[in-house]
Amino acid sequence: MIFSILALWFCLVLTSCGTTGEAKSCVLDLNSRIECSPDQPKNASLCVSRGCCWKEFTGPAPSCFYPWNYPGYVAVKENSSVGSYSATLRRQKASYWPEDIAELVVSVRQECPYRLHVRITDASLPRFEVPFVVKNHSESISPDADFEWGVSSSPFALKMRRKRTGSVLVNTGIGPFLFANQFIQLSSQLPPSSIYGLGEVRDHLVRATNWTRYFLFARDHQPVENMNLYGVHPFFLVLEPDGSCFGMFLLNANAQEFLFQPGPTVTWRSIGGMIDLYVFTGPTPAMVVQQLQELVGFPAIPPYWSLGFHVCKYGYHNLSDVQTVVAEMQATGIPYDTQWIDLDYARDKLIFTVDPVRFAGLTAFAQRLHAEDMRLVVIIDPALGVIEDGSYEPYALAKQLGLLILNSTGDVLVGRVWPNRTAWLDFTNPLSPPYWQSMIAQFRALVPVDGLWIDMNEPSNFANGSLDGCPLSSVDVPPYAPGTARLFDFTLCMSAKQHLGAHYDLHSLYGYTEAMATYQALASVLATRPFVLSRSTFSGQGPFGAHWTGDNAATYHDLAVSIPEVLTFSLFGIPFVGPDICGYYSDRLDEPLCQRWQQVGAFYPFSRNHDCFACPRHDPAVFSRAMQESTRKAYLIRYSLLPYLSTLFHRANQTGETVARPLFVEFPNDPETHAIEAQFLWGSCLLISPALQENATTVVGYFPRRPWYDWYSGRVTVSGEWLTMDVPLDTIPLHLAGGCVVPSQLASVTTALSRKNPFTLLIALDADMQANGELFWDDGESLGVYAAKNYSLIHFTFQQDRFWSIPRNVDFNSPMPLTNVTVMGFSHPPPTQILLNDTLPLSFDFVRRIGVLYISVSGIDLRWPFTLAIL
């Protein structure tokens, strides 16, 4: 619905409404100040010369800020119809930014009942638009929506509100709208809320709004607070106190920042591209995350083996070192599927090569792993060693085909990474993916790797820009650069040339384009489900694999912040994520820290122990038997729950549900959950409450209002309360949620062996003696299983004293034996008989004091429907 925004509305949002005179226009309370420039000049005369107000203040609020009547754009040539609006925007008066754009075009479309799309760009000249990311573009207009929106013509502003509650979601009339060639600014009022998302940054799960600035620009930097890190995700969720939620996605790949101030208010700035804004109205957090993924793509289903435990280290000196790790890890009895090798394996650190001396026998080693139902993953970097004599085919062929990134003069840009002099493949060139696939195929013919780890793809460069430096152009040294470093520090010159344009625009998409090419190449070469782990990411990268959170440190702080890092990526639609367990950087072995980290690490969606070149090994095999046993205990639980975890990834792939889930996503109407970041869920059903503090003997956790059953005892615990729990050093608190049916298997030491074991069902009843669940099951590696319907999908329902197992699809032709069913929270009188399909009596055991019923059901195949009647 289009509605007029009256002048009275502007009076309500601007405290100086009704006053006259230049001084009066500067009468704004502190929290209503929109900073005049991100460089925050401390000189009053310079501030005033920009047409801004100066009122010195020593706190976080700006001293230099815009007056309420700062000139903006006026809408002319307006066209509106049901669900859409377009206009030309003309600048009233030039701003102080160079290359101000005087005339813009705007379009606003109500694309579906829960999505508004706003595009603003130059009316005369083309500007960079992010390619690839939007996979479900819509030109349609939805006549109906759960929101209302409208525009003001002079100055141009957009307002959007929720129909159901009247809550204002977007209000851009609170600050000036700026659009120069290298500076775009848009501010919006937000409702009282908690804010989540934006990345990649290290911070609390709830983003701060006390004049807090978040920089987004892909950069190779050890994770620390107040720093832009490896990936770029300009998406955030706004959760209101009543549990209603909406999201804003600003599809822009240039260096950018988000400034949140009390109110809250957000000011977004970018130094290129255009405004391509999507607003998702939810109204729940889960629906907002699903609506984002509906636009940018649902995540891939990982190969089943990759859900197991992974071990890696940078600094294996030779193949014998790796073989020793494998043997020692296997001797611990800890479930363990995949051994990784960092760049140590490569000759002179050149990708797609193998050192013929130190790693002789690597092919036979990979084959031996396969014979033992294990897997091998190695690293490849995007930087190609510059060897001009033609002896290094990957570089020679890429140069011959014109696939390398060029400098501003048209020559190959040369920097420095691990092989010394290096050049970078341009993955935006349409000839690069076929080249990349051929290199991967040749390499895999030499070493039959099962997955690829793509690192250093921000892209990282040990030289700043290039070995020849960068020209002092407006893109290499722009009028304003968000962040704490020059744009070309530790990466390429922004003036570098790629097939789709300047690196200035494409920089933060480099990891995305490499991940997409690598995933597609592996799918073709392997003809099975690819596994790709990427350090750099961009919005919509979930369809192309996994992410790890970079070069963290072996500290309790890094352990604690790993949980909000993982949960934030789940909100981005990249659920297959995890940090380096025990910390990448460590100068000593800290067994208690690593023991606690391995426990929570068993419940990261992606679970890998990894450390640095000069660091001592800290895989579990090097620690005491007690530490190994507690790690084994945690991973036996993980492996027993892999049928449930793989089902969660199925649901993520099909509907965009989160895997590792913040409590606020599952319980948005419970304000207690909104800031919880030390606990998390697997789906709806498993609550994980790890010990994250040094020398912890207890942990305090919150249990939202429903029954919760202790994993180890089956006892029901508190509901709607905080609880202090004992945490022995060998235990991580786990609880099953009432209302869930969770499929599991007897765990073994690899996923392949575990898959051969029979299934069990864990039924945790809610207060009404009901529970539901499902199991997705396929061969764990095939592509196209949905199109071919080559999978089984089983739905489970428990009501009062009856259980139904109903297959919805059973085209995966493999036995699915079920041996045991455990029912927790059974509060009816002790059963006298349990019948299978109303005829066959089954043996059972009922522990009345804790309400747990154990049923033996051997001989059942889950591919066929059955019922249990408890009499």
Side-chain angles (χ1 to χ4, degrees):
M1 173 182 176
I2 306 294
F3 60 89
S4 298
I5 302 179
L6 304 176
L8 176 60
W9 168 59
F10 286 102
C11 293
L12 295 174
V13 298
L14 298 172
T15 59
S16 54
C17 184
T19 62
T20 60
E22 184 174 348
K24 299 282 189 178
S25 68
C26 293
V27 180
L28 295 168
D29 66 70
L30 287 175
N31 291 341
S32 297
R33 294 181 179 184
I34 305 297
E35 66 174 355
C36 179
S37 174
D39 59 9
Q40 269 300 285
K42 300 301 181 185
N43 181 293
S45 61
L46 177 59
C47 177
V48 173
S49 73
R50 294 178 168 184
C52 294
C53 306
W54 175 266
K55 291 191 176 181
E56 193 160 3
F57 183 70
T58 57
S63 298
C64 182
F65 56 95
Y66 290 102
W68 66 264
N69 58 354
Y70 190 86
Y73 285 88
V74 174
V76 298
K77 302 178 184 178
E78 295 177 282
N79 292 290
S80 62
S81 60
V82 175
S84 70
Y85 170 86
S86 64
T88 297
L89 304 181
R90 290 178 179 161
R91 182 121 198 110
Q92 293 173 292
K93 179 182 178 181
S95 74
Y96 54 87
W97 286 100
E99 299 182 88
D100 216 17
I101 297 177
E103 193 166 277
L104 306 169
V105 288
V106 57
S107 71
V108 185
R109 293 206 316 274
Q110 196 169 286
E111 292 185 339
C112 60
Y114 47 78
R115 185 169 81 212
L116 187 71
H117 185 193
V118 182
R119 286 170 53 92
I120 305 177
T121 190
D122 194 319
S124 303
L125 299 174
R127 293 183 64 80
F128 178 75
E129 297 185 36
V130 175
F132 313 124
V133 169
V134 173
K135 300 175 181 66
N136 293 293
H137 180 71
S138 174
E139 292 291 346
S140 63
I141 303 295
S142 174
D144 298 309
D146 61 6
F147 55 88
E148 298 173 319
W149 61 275
V151 298
S152 165
S153 299
S154 180
F156 173 77
L158 172 73
K159 185 178 181 182
M160 180 179 179
R161 65 190 178 197
R162 198 183 298 278
K163 280 183 181 179
R164 178 173 53 87
T165 63
S167 175
V168 175
L169 309 183
V170 178
N171 172 7
T172 68
I174 63 163
F177 167 41
L178 305 173
F179 203 125
N181 184 40
Q182 290 184 272
F183 189 86
I184 304 171
Q185 176 172 302
L186 185 69
S187 298
S188 179
Q189 175 190 5
L190 302 173
S193 55
S194 298
I195 295 169
Y196 311 86
L198 292 180
E200 186 171 5
V201 296
R202 171 174 280 196
D203 196 10
H204 292 288
L205 182 63
V206 179
R207 301 314 194 200
T209 57
N210 186 29
W211 302 96
T212 307
R213 202 182 307 266
Y214 296 98
F215 303 114
L216 276 61
F217 183 69
R219 186 181 184 199
D220 176 4
H221 194 284
Q222 181 181 356
V224 293
E225 284 73 8
N226 305 313
M227 183 67 67
N228 51 299
L229 300 175
Y230 309 104
V232 168
H233 297 270
F235 165 72
F236 63 92
L237 297 88
V238 180
L239 180 62
E240 300 173 65
D242 69 352
S244 299
C245 186
F246 73 97
M248 298 181 72
F249 176 41
L250 280 145
L251 181 54
N252 186 289
N254 291 87
Q256 59 193 284
E257 66 185 46
F258 290 78
L259 173 63
F260 289 96
Q261 64 194 65
T265 294
V266 60
T267 295
W268 172 75
R269 302 184 180 99
S270 174
I271 63 171
M274 57 181 285
I275 292 176
D276 198 357
L277 168 66
Y278 294 87
V279 183
F280 310 103
T281 58
T284 68
M287 293 173 72
V288 171
V289 173
Q290 290 170 325
Q291 289 158 12
L292 170 71
Q293 293 172 85
E294 183 180 84
L295 182 74
V296 302
F298 296 117
I301 299 181
Y304 198 91
W305 60 264
S306 66
L307 301 179
F309 181 40
H310 305 251
V311 170
C312 185
K313 175 178 171 52
Y314 181 28
Y316 293 138
H317 299 296
N318 49 47
L319 185 58
S320 178
D321 280 0
V322 183
Q323 292 169 326
T324 297
V325 171
V326 173
E328 292 179 355
M329 277 297 302
Q330 289 175 328
T332 67
I334 296 168
Y336 155 57
D337 263 79
T338 308
Q339 181 60 49
W340 293 49
I341 307 178
D342 209 314
L343 205 52
D344 310 299
Y345 74 89
R347 171 175 53 86
D348 299 325
K349 293 187 167 47
L350 297 168
I351 63 170
F352 302 127
T353 70
V354 175
D355 189 295
V357 177
R358 294 183 302 109
F359 281 83
L362 185 56
T363 301
F365 172 74
Q367 293 168 341
R368 196 200 91 193
L369 287 179
H370 294 160
E372 298 177 358
D373 292 323
M374 293 184 65
R375 308 287 176 149
L376 176 66
V377 173
V378 301
I379 197 170
I380 54 172
D381 290 341
L384 301 170
V386 174
I387 299 175
E388 300 289 4
D389 62 7
S391 61
Y392 178 48
E393 182 187 6
Y395 172 75
L397 183 58
K399 185 177 181 181
Q400 176 188 337
L401 295 175
L403 305 181
L404 300 174
I405 293 178
L406 307 178
N407 63 22
S408 60
T409 64
D411 296 320
V412 172
L413 185 146
V414 179
R416 178 174 288 115
V417 194
W418 302 115
N420 196 8
R421 288 168 52 83
T422 51
W424 283 263
L425 192 67
D426 176 10
F427 289 97
T428 71
N429 189 315
L431 297 179
S432 289
Y435 155 88
W436 195 241
Q437 180 177 316
S438 70
M439 292 294 104
I440 289 172
Q442 288 181 37
F443 179 69
R444 195 175 183 280
L446 177 64
V447 181
V449 298
D450 300 284
L452 290 173
W453 168 22
I454 52 176
D455 191 11
M456 307 290 285
N457 55 349
E458 292 71 31
S460 180
N461 180 8
F462 298 160
N464 290 330
S466 77
L467 293 180
D468 298 321
C470 298
L472 298 179
S473 67
S474 62
V475 292
D476 289 297
V477 187
Y480 175 68
T484 58
R486 298 174 301 181
L487 294 182
F488 56 80
D489 280 349
F490 221 54
T491 189
L492 311 186
C493 297
M494 297 297 105
S495 53
K497 298 177 180 179
Q498 296 186 238
H499 178 79
L500 289 183
H503 193 69
Y504 179 83
D505 295 316
L506 292 160
H507 169 82
S508 291
L509 290 166
Y510 192 86
Y512 182 103
T513 56
E514 186 194 15
M516 181 167 58
T518 307
Y519 189 90
Q520 293 168 349
L522 276 179
S524 178
V525 171
L526 297 173
T528 57
R529 217 169 284 169
F531 173 78
V532 177
L533 181 76
S534 178
R535 187 168 72 178
S536 186
T537 59
F538 192 84
S539 296
Q541 199 162 317
F544 307 120
H547 170 64
W548 92 104
T549 58
D551 299 342
N552 58 356
T555 69
Y556 281 94
H557 173 69
D558 285 71
L559 168 60
V561 299
S562 71
I563 295 177
E565 288 171 345
V566 167
L567 297 180
T568 297
F569 266 87
S570 75
L571 304 178
F572 297 152
I574 302 179
F576 202 21
V577 61
D580 286 341
I581 295 171
C582 298
Y584 179 72
Y585 289 112
S586 58
D587 57 5
R588 62 186 178 87
L589 290 179
D590 187 334
E591 180 165 316
L593 168 64
C594 201
Q595 187 163 358
R596 289 302 194 193
W597 210 327
Q598 284 288 174
Q599 289 168 1
V600 68
F603 298 94
Y604 296 140
F606 171 65
S607 182
R608 182 185 71 160
N609 182 299
H610 177 47
D611 67 344
C612 76
F613 186 88
C615 303
R617 261 180 62 190
H618 61 37
D619 56 80
V622 304
F623 291 106
S624 71
R625 190 63 189 169
M627 187 275 194
Q628 292 170 8
E629 282 301 315
S630 75
T631 300
R632 182 172 179 271
K633 177 180 175 180
Y635 278 89
L636 284 173
I637 296 172
R638 178 190 180 90
Y639 273 56
S640 75
L641 287 172
L642 289 184
Y644 175 61
L645 182 60
S646 66
T647 299
L648 293 178
F649 275 104
H650 148 74
R651 295 186 65 83
N653 174 266
Q654 293 295 292
T655 65
E657 291 187 16
T658 50
V659 177
R661 184 170 301 172
L663 271 70
F664 81 83
V665 171
E666 187 70 15
F667 303 97
N669 297 314
D670 185 345
E672 290 288 335
T673 69
H674 291 186
I676 291 176
E677 62 180 16
Q679 295 172 277
F680 63 101
L681 293 155
W682 268 14
S684 300
C685 296
L686 182 69
L687 178 63
I688 299 111
S689 307
L692 304 173
Q693 305 300 321
E694 188 171 9
N695 300 321
T697 57
T698 60
V699 64
V700 178
Y702 181 67
F703 291 82
R705 194 167 299 281
R706 66 168 58 167
W708 295 92
Y709 300 92
D710 181 83
W711 172 269
Y712 305 99
S713 70
R715 292 178 181 274
V716 68
T717 185
V718 298
S719 174
E721 298 179 31
W722 291 88
L723 177 67
T724 299
M725 296 167 279
D726 292 332
V727 281
L729 194 54
D730 67 344
T731 301
I732 179 171
L734 304 171
H735 292 82
L736 287 173
C740 288
V741 179
V742 175
S744 64
Q745 277 180 313
L746 181 67
S748 191
V749 291
T750 66
T751 57
L753 291 174
S754 295
R755 285 176 60 88
K756 297 176 182 178
N757 292 331
F759 290 92
T760 61
L761 295 177
L762 305 173
I763 302 175
L765 299 179
D766 65 14
D768 297 320
M769 295 280 288
Q770 297 182 7
N772 294 278
E774 70 176 10
L775 168 63
F776 171 83
W777 196 247
D778 69 347
D779 66 6
E781 62 179 20
S782 290
L783 296 165
V785 294
Y786 293 108
K789 292 189 175 297
N790 190 22
Y791 63 92
S792 293
L793 184 63
I794 319 296
H795 284 232
F796 307 113
T797 301
F798 189 103
Q799 291 185 353
Q800 297 298 319
D801 54 10
R802 195 167 184 87
F803 174 78
W804 294 266
S805 175
I806 304 173
R808 299 295 173 86
N809 191 82
V810 288
D811 284 357
F812 176 55
N813 190 24
S814 178
M816 301 175 64
L818 176 70
T819 57
N820 292 287
V821 174
T822 299
V823 183
M824 289 169 275
F826 191 79
S827 58
H828 285 185
T832 59
Q833 193 175 37
I834 298 178
L835 298 180
L836 172 65
N837 295 328
D838 292 316
T839 57
L840 181 66
L842 299 175
S843 61
F844 65 91
D845 183 29
F846 181 54
V847 184
R848 187 170 187 175
R849 60 185 173 82
I850 58 174
V852 177
L853 178 61
Y854 301 95
I855 308 170
S856 176
V857 293
S858 57
I860 291 179
D861 190 317
L862 287 171
R863 292 176 298 168
W864 307 107
F866 72 92
T867 63
L868 299 177
I870 304 174
L871 306 177

